Amino acid sequence: MISSMYVSSQGHTSAHGLDRTSLTTCLREDWDTKGDVMKKVVINVGGMRHETYMSTLKSLPGTRLAKLMDHDPSGDIEFFFDRHPGVFSNVLNYYRTGKLHCPKDVCGPLFEEELAFWEVDKADVEPCCWITFCQHRDAEVALAAFGPSDSKEHHNEEFPESFDVEDHPANSQSCCKRWKAKIWALFDDPFSSKAAKVIAFVSLFFVLLSITAFCLETHESFHTLEQCTELVNNGNHTEEVTYYEIVTEPTLTVVEGVCVVWFIFEFLVRFTCCSNILVFVKNILNIIDFVAILPFFLDVGLGGNALGFLRVLNFVRILRIFKLMRHMVGVRVLVYTLKASVQEFCLLAVFFGIGMLIFSTLEFYAERVHSDPEDPTLSAHTNFKNIPIGFWWAVVTMTTLGYGDMYPETCSGMVIGALCALAGILTIAMPVPVIVNNFRLYYSLAMAQQKLPKKKKRQHLPLSGTLSQPSPSGEQVE
């Protein structure tokens, strides 16, 4: 009945011909019939006042505001909460409409914290806002995997203690522990000081020099062919056997030795100064550092007569490129982007597998349609002898490489080849936006780590209470 009445612009008559006095009488009678359920409640959140009915707040039992209404306070009701006013607008709208939406201008953790305070279940977030609401969780997982958020304050789990003088005075730590922390930061955290940047530059130089020497060792210009002789016992007499051996330029061996000396020194310093040896040993980068040193000792210890499978271990020297992760932000961003995009790459592999199977099969039968009837194999005119051979053609076609070693020669085969190329473009384009978003996330975090100033620890005293107390005038304040 209330919704069907309204006051005219002059304020004298209503839509049903009632004057103001009659309208007021009807409203009072209606108020009496509704009882306390229609009482108005004023909620002041962060200085923003909201008015609603008590029945609206009781519509969601178990929430904070519904519990307050269960006390059935008398008189004018007003509560004050020192909380985020923007988020409360969405919470109050949830009471009114039964639909909980997530504001786009509020950080996800803040919105989740406010929902916990108002005792609203976060599972009630509408499906249209659920992806936006969950994005912060994915970001938190990614940031936790990437590393510390403050580049100037070292929080590595291999040496969790800070070495900052302001946070840890000289008399609170032993001298040995302070120096170990400083040396650790010098060799592990390039952003801790100018000297650490110099050490990082030196380490980067030796990594690049070692990789360059490793690649040049395979070039013919650095090989010399030497004639060697060996005495071989053949029954009752000894024969002198002559053979030729390829010898690498000694200069490259010297360069590799100098690089290995630096790597050993760096590894031992970091191993000595770490506070948690078990965590240090489990670190994948430290394992790579150790394994990359082994081939040099095998070659030197065995005098160049290492077994074939031991010489194959020389390829692990190329793994030193991952040492750049400590010193070059771009390499870290790339590696963590690949790790975060494993699901997308698996999805891409599934799409390629399905497309490869479908188009290679279609191409095989399309080429056989126009074969020579006198050819018993029906494949003498084409390179598509069987379906497995067509897998290679499907892969290079879907990736738009097109080596030209296999190509369709019939009209129907060309049509299928064109469809295969188009399908490949669409297949690659679908997961790429997700991978780009992961790269953008890690890149922005890496830039923030370099530019953010150092944060000082501050003590935040918790509030004594959140609910308001009634004032002598009847208005409730905190």
Side-chain angles (χ1 to χ4, degrees):
M1 181 174 63
I2 295 178
S3 60
S4 64
M5 299 180 182
Y6 66 93
V7 180
S8 63
S9 59
Q10 288 80 12
H12 297 291
T13 58
S14 67
H16 299 281
L18 300 176
D19 56 11
R20 180 180 295 181
T21 304
S22 301
L23 180 61
T24 304
T25 303
C26 293
L27 290 175
R28 288 179 178 176
E29 292 177 356
D30 188 71
W31 176 269
D32 293 337
T33 58
K34 295 294 182 181
D36 294 339
V37 181
M38 296 302 294
K39 285 184 179 180
K40 285 186 178 181
V41 180
V42 178
I43 305 174
N44 191 327
V45 180
M48 183 178 295
R49 299 177 78 252
H50 303 268
E51 293 187 9
T52 186
Y53 292 111
M54 184 183 296
S55 59
T56 302
L57 300 181
K58 289 184 176 181
S59 62
L60 297 176
T63 58
R64 180 178 291 270
L65 294 178
K67 293 177 181 178
L68 290 177
M69 297 303 103
D70 292 340
H71 294 83
D72 195 12
S74 60
D76 296 335
I77 306 173
E78 181 171 355
F79 297 95
F80 177 82
F81 295 90
D82 193 13
R83 306 296 300 185
H84 195 285
V87 174
F88 181 74
S89 299
N90 294 80
V91 174
L92 185 58
N93 187 67
Y94 178 45
Y95 282 93
R96 292 168 174 166
T97 64
K99 297 181 179 180
L100 181 60
H101 293 277
C102 177
K104 295 183 178 181
D105 58 342
V106 176
C107 186
L110 175 61
F111 183 69
E112 190 170 359
E113 181 181 351
E114 291 296 314
L115 292 182
F117 174 80
W118 297 112
E119 300 181 7
V120 176
D121 191 358
K122 58 186 177 182
D124 295 336
V125 176
E126 290 297 307
C128 60
C129 298
W130 183 252
I131 296 179
T132 304
F133 176 70
C134 294
Q135 281 181 350
H136 74 278
R137 297 180 183 175
D138 299 335
E140 287 178 351
V141 174
L143 302 184
F146 187 75
S149 59
D150 190 355
S151 60
K152 301 297 181 65
E153 188 175 356
H154 198 70
H155 291 291
N156 194 299
E157 59 181 352
E158 295 174 12
F159 205 110
E161 296 83 359
S162 175
F163 54 88
D164 186 50
V165 179
E166 296 179 1
D167 297 334
H168 298 275
N171 55 1
S172 64
Q173 290 183 334
S174 63
C175 181
C176 180
K177 197 172 185 179
R178 293 200 313 273
W179 277 105
K180 285 178 63 176
K182 292 181 179 181
I183 296 175
W184 171 265
L186 193 66
F187 281 84
D188 191 75
D189 188 1
F191 305 102
S192 60
S193 62
K194 293 183 178 180
K197 292 182 179 179
V198 175
I199 297 295
F201 177 79
V202 174
S203 180
L204 176 62
F205 170 77
F206 279 109
V207 169
L208 296 179
L209 183 62
S210 174
I211 294 175
T212 302
F214 172 76
C215 296
L216 292 179
E217 285 180 0
T218 61
H219 198 275
E220 295 81 1
S221 301
F222 296 91
H223 292 169
T224 57
L225 194 61
E226 293 186 356
Q227 183 177 357
C228 303
T229 58
E230 183 180 358
L231 297 177
V232 179
N233 294 325
N234 187 6
N236 297 328
H237 62 281
T238 302
E239 295 182 357
E240 187 178 87
V241 178
T242 302
Y243 63 93
Y244 294 92
E245 183 179 10
I246 298 177
V247 179
T248 307
E249 182 70 26
T251 304
L252 296 179
T253 305
V254 174
V255 171
E256 175 65 17
V258 173
C259 295
V260 170
V261 170
W262 167 261
F263 295 144
I264 294 175
F265 170 74
E266 183 185 22
F267 183 84
L268 292 178
V269 169
R270 296 179 65 255
F271 179 79
T272 305
C273 296
C274 73
S275 63
N276 193 331
I277 297 179
L278 182 61
V279 175
F280 181 88
V281 173
K282 290 182 178 180
N283 194 319
I284 185 63
L285 292 180
N286 298 329
I287 296 176
I288 292 175
D289 292 346
F290 178 76
V291 173
I293 300 173
L294 288 181
F296 180 82
F297 288 102
L298 292 176
D299 289 341
V300 174
L302 298 177
N305 296 321
L307 298 178
F309 74 94
L310 293 179
R311 290 185 177 181
V312 175
L313 290 178
N314 281 322
F315 85 94
V316 301
R317 289 163 53 186
I318 201 65
L319 298 179
R320 291 171 185 166
I321 192 67
F322 292 103
K323 290 171 62 68
L324 300 179
M325 290 179 58
R326 287 196 187 94
H327 313 299
M328 295 184 64
V329 177
V331 179
R332 291 186 63 199
V333 171
L334 178 61
V335 171
Y336 281 97
T337 299
L338 296 178
K339 289 174 59 178
S341 306
V342 172
Q343 294 183 354
E344 287 72 26
F345 284 117
C346 293
L347 183 63
L348 182 63
V350 171
F351 288 162
F352 262 99
I354 296 175
M356 178 181 64
L357 180 61
I358 293 176
F359 288 106
S360 61
T361 303
L362 292 177
E363 190 66 35
F364 171 73
Y365 286 104
E367 290 292 302
R368 292 171 67 94
V369 170
H370 300 279
S371 61
D372 187 1
E374 298 181 357
D375 181 17
T377 62
L378 301 178
S379 59
H381 67 290
T382 180
N383 293 322
F384 295 89
K385 308 297 183 182
N386 50 60
I387 293 178
I389 292 179
F391 291 166
W392 166 253
W393 168 85
V395 170
V396 297
T397 303
M398 294 180 68
T399 54
T400 67
L401 295 178
Y403 287 111
D405 52 348
M406 295 178 63
Y407 55 90
E409 299 180 3
T410 63
C411 294
S412 58
M414 293 178 182
V415 172
I416 294 176
L419 295 177
C420 181
L422 293 176
I425 295 175
L426 296 177
T427 301
I428 296 175
M430 285 187 288
V432 166
V434 181
I435 300 174
V436 172
N437 289 335
N438 292 335
F439 178 83
R440 187 181 304 167
L441 172 64
Y442 286 114
Y443 182 78
S444 60
L445 174 64
M447 294 299 101
Q449 286 186 350
Q450 296 184 18
K451 296 179 181 179
L452 283 178
K454 181 179 178 180
K455 296 180 181 179
K456 294 184 179 180
K457 295 182 180 180
R458 297 179 180 178
Q459 293 183 352
H460 184 76
L461 298 178
L463 298 177
S464 58
T466 55
L467 299 181
S468 56
Q469 300 294 333
S471 63
S473 62
E475 181 181 359
Q476 300 186 17
V477 296
E478 190 177 35

